[in-house]
Amino acid sequence: MIAIIDYKAGNLTSVELALKHVGADCKVTDKPEEIARADKVIFPGVGTAQSCMDNLRNLGLDLALKDAVNSGKPVMAICIGQQLIFEHSEEDGGVDCLGILPGKVVRFDFEKERNVKVPHMGWNEVEILKPHPILTGFPDRGECYFVHSYYVKVDAPELVYAQTDYEGNRFTCAVGRDNLFATQFHPEKSGEDGLQLLRNFLNWNGKQ
Amino acid sequence: MLSKRLIVCLDVRNKKVTKGVKFKGNIDIGEPVELARQYYLDGVDELVFYDITASAEKRPIDIEMVAEVAKTIFIPFSVGGGISNVDDMRRALLAGAEKVSVNSLAVKNPEIIRQGAQAFGNQCIVLGMDAKKVPVSDTIKSGYEIVIQGGRTPTGKDALEWALQAQELGAGEICLNSIDADGTKEGYELELTRMVSEAVQIPVIASGGGGTCDHIVDVLQQGKADAALIASMVHYGDYTCSGIKEYVSKKGVKMRLK
């Protein structure tokens, strides 16, 4: 069973529906004990860093997630979930995050006269830097759906699996370490290529 | 590089996708879920569903349909029509919609934008606006006025000011429809689209007037739109989404191709 962590951060329905579509047995849950029992964990989310961290801590889900990562079971984080597994976010005036991976979350910062739109919203190319079981069968420079104003700056380059260019800013869009994999884009909203990543997660044993 | 988006709009009446034909009323095109699936497989980037009779019938949006669509396609889609408060928004988003769209409601009660953005995030709230060309005046400095009720009722609101105000209130995107161009198939209103798109920092979807692939190229290049909305071009089978995107891409606009 796959536990989809419900920390009251926006819409989890699309993740659940996409996982069911590819044949997963999954459940949306806010109970640490269910996450502990699950075979795999998805850490999704839409929202702001501060409210997400508050909710995680209040529900005891921060520890449940760290336990899941430490246990070796496959864990996949999406969008704000990917951001929160790093150490710190500059959103909301600065928020300490889960600190599972080294790095920080920063806002897109373009010169005002360029009038670059933030959030970065829409379909953009995912440039794969090195293979990973979750990326199997995904076309290099295939496009995925993004919607975000912040991105991660990873302190350990060896953890970066894919990057994306937005108006000259090449940012990390997929990271991984051991049994943990995370994307800035939304595989559940990225058509058939996105579903392929979720299928790969279903088949993944958490090893590289 | 971020791709420009092609979005198909489905107007839903009595559980059928319908298309208004000038002076002839509406004709049915097909089942919403089947059409959604068809456009999804044909490579459309996003879909918009408007429950066009919900407001008149004073009922909320058809949530069953939203839930069925969400099970069938795995790209973003937004819904509008029959959204009258934050609870309606919540139901639509929980059923699997990515965004909700407000139009007349926001004109009457701009605070709904702020409330929706605070509850669900800016990216979930799309402001739909219908603009009509009018003589420049002290109140309508941009020369485009916001109209509601399908263009029948002028509001005295300047379109450009309204776009900026909506952005300030927390709208994550603007769907900008030209009432003058709508239904003409003679091309989008490029001047209006460019003016709004260059003034705001949020994405702008151009709507109204799309009849050929070159119209789409023009509104994405000259009009500076982030996305183009179409309906009849594909509803009648004259074009396919993949065909349009290939053409537009060959003209130098970045599009997501299969």
Side-chain angles (χ1 to χ4, degrees):
Chain A
M1 199 267 291
I2 299 177
I4 302 169
I5 302 183
D6 177 11
Y7 55 111
K8 316 302 163 196
N11 183 7
L12 308 182
T13 314
S14 47
V15 175
E16 186 187 7
L17 292 176
L19 279 168
K20 285 189 171 154
H21 182 79
V22 297
D25 169 23
C26 58
K27 188 178 181 192
V28 173
T29 177
D30 61 3
K31 300 204 166 44
E33 60 275 18
E34 280 191 320
I35 293 164
R37 275 202 306 269
D39 306 310
K40 298 183 182 190
V41 175
I42 296 253
F43 181 39
V46 174
T48 64
Q50 186 68 63
S51 64
C52 287
M53 283 309 301
D54 289 347
N55 290 345
L56 280 171
R57 292 194 178 109
N58 291 340
L59 293 163
L61 294 170
D62 53 338
L63 298 177
L65 181 71
K66 284 182 185 178
D67 285 348
V69 172
N70 291 333
S71 76
K73 66 175 84 163
V75 176
M76 186 163 173
I78 297 170
C79 194
I80 187 106
Q82 180 227 218
Q83 296 178 2
L84 297 179
I85 59 177
F86 285 85
E87 292 161 316
H88 188 266
S89 170
E90 67 177 33
E91 193 173 9
D92 297 323
V95 179
D96 283 332
C97 299
L98 296 164
I100 297 170
L101 297 184
K104 62 182 176 187
V105 180
V106 298
R107 189 178 163 84
F108 281 116
D109 186 18
F110 296 101
E111 292 127 34
K112 205 167 184 323
E113 5 359 314
R114 289 183 63 203
N115 197 31
V116 176
K117 304 205 167 172
V118 176
H120 170 232
M121 183 196 279
W123 297 79
N124 204 336
E125 287 173 16
V126 173
E127 187 189 334
I128 296 177
L129 300 175
K130 55 180 178 177
H132 188 282
I134 296 285
L135 298 170
T136 306
F138 183 85
D140 187 26
R141 297 192 172 272
E143 295 194 29
C144 287
Y145 187 77
F146 291 82
V147 48
H148 62 123
S149 301
Y150 293 79
Y151 63 95
V152 296
K153 277 192 163 171
V154 186
D155 280 344
E158 69 275 14
L159 303 182
V160 178
Y161 283 86
Q163 64 182 11
T164 291
D165 177 285
Y166 185 42
E167 292 292 325
N169 182 344
R170 298 183 99 75
F171 66 91
T172 295
C173 68
V175 292
R177 189 180 70 193
D178 304 329
N179 54 316
L180 172 64
F181 193 79
T183 63
Q184 177 60 61
F185 55 84
H186 290 269
E188 75 280 11
K189 288 278 179 188
S190 296
E192 297 299 311
D193 288 340
L195 294 179
Q196 181 60 40
L197 303 191
L198 297 180
R199 265 187 213 104
N200 291 340
F201 181 67
L202 250 59
N203 297 326
W204 188 35
N205 61 6
K207 303 222 160 48
Q208 299 283 331
Chain B
M1 186 180 173
L2 184 65
S3 291
K4 301 275 188 178
R5 285 170 284 155
L6 183 72
I7 303 177
V8 171
C9 175
L10 300 101
D11 287 339
V12 182
R13 171 196 289 263
N14 303 327
K15 298 191 183 287
K16 292 274 198 295
V17 175
T18 181
K19 183 67 199 163
V21 181
K22 271 196 174 170
F23 312 116
K24 286 185 188 164
N26 288 65
I27 59 168
D28 286 346
I29 310 284
E31 304 291 331
V33 177
E34 276 172 34
L35 277 173
R37 181 80 186 157
Q38 182 188 318
Y39 294 136
Y40 167 71
L41 293 174
D42 188 26
V44 74
D45 297 313
E46 208 167 308
L47 293 172
V48 178
F49 293 84
Y50 287 117
D51 190 335
I52 58 172
T53 47
S55 298
E57 292 169 6
K58 295 198 166 39
R59 61 169 171 80
I61 191 160
D62 183 351
I63 286 295
E64 230 173 88
M65 181 200 74
V66 178
E68 276 307 307
V69 170
K71 278 185 211 161
T72 313
I73 62 168
F74 302 96
I75 53 172
F77 67 96
S78 58
V79 297
I83 304 276
S84 46
N85 52 49
V86 170
D87 281 339
D88 287 342
M89 290 179 175
R90 179 174 290 113
R91 275 191 286 273
L93 295 171
L94 283 177
E98 174 82 5
K99 317 171 194 182
V100 290
S101 176
V102 287
N103 187 324
S104 307
L105 172 68
V107 171
K108 290 172 200 153
N109 172 24
E111 276 302 308
I112 188 74
I113 298 175
R114 192 197 306 276
Q115 291 162 0
Q118 273 172 0
F120 314 112
N122 299 25
Q123 79 288 342
C124 288
I125 311 298
V126 183
L127 173 73
M129 50 190 262
D130 293 314
K132 188 175 171 58
K133 199 172 173 82
V134 293
V136 173
S137 65
D138 283 348
T139 44
I140 314 286
K141 292 193 183 71
S142 71
Y144 291 94
E145 183 177 6
I146 295 297
V147 292
I148 54 174
Q149 294 179 321
R152 291 190 298 276
T153 312
T155 64
K157 255 186 198 295
D158 182 290
L160 184 58
E161 280 174 22
W162 178 222
L164 290 166
Q165 191 192 343
Q167 169 177 277
E168 197 58 40
L169 286 165
E173 193 166 46
I174 290 173
C175 184
L176 175 60
N177 184 49
S178 162
I179 283 290
D180 307 297
D182 198 15
T184 64
K185 291 194 173 196
E186 285 171 5
Y188 296 88
E189 234 282 21
L190 300 181
E191 190 195 343
L192 167 72
T193 310
R194 182 177 183 134
M195 181 177 69
V196 173
S197 190
E198 287 188 332
V200 298
Q201 279 79 51
I202 53 179
V204 171
I205 304 166
S207 161
T212 69
C213 295
D214 282 312
H215 292 155
I216 295 170
V217 173
D218 289 346
V219 82
L220 296 175
Q221 286 181 332
Q222 298 166 44
K224 306 268 174 152
D226 299 283
L229 191 83
I230 55 168
S232 49
M233 278 179 77
V234 286
H235 286 341
Y236 298 131
D238 299 333
Y239 295 89
T240 62
C241 298
S242 49
I244 293 170
K245 290 173 75 172
E246 215 161 283
Y247 181 94
V248 173
S249 166
K250 279 192 185 131
K251 292 281 175 174
V253 179
K254 176 75 165 42
M255 299 294 272
R256 175 179 68 112
L257 302 175
K258 281 204 225 174

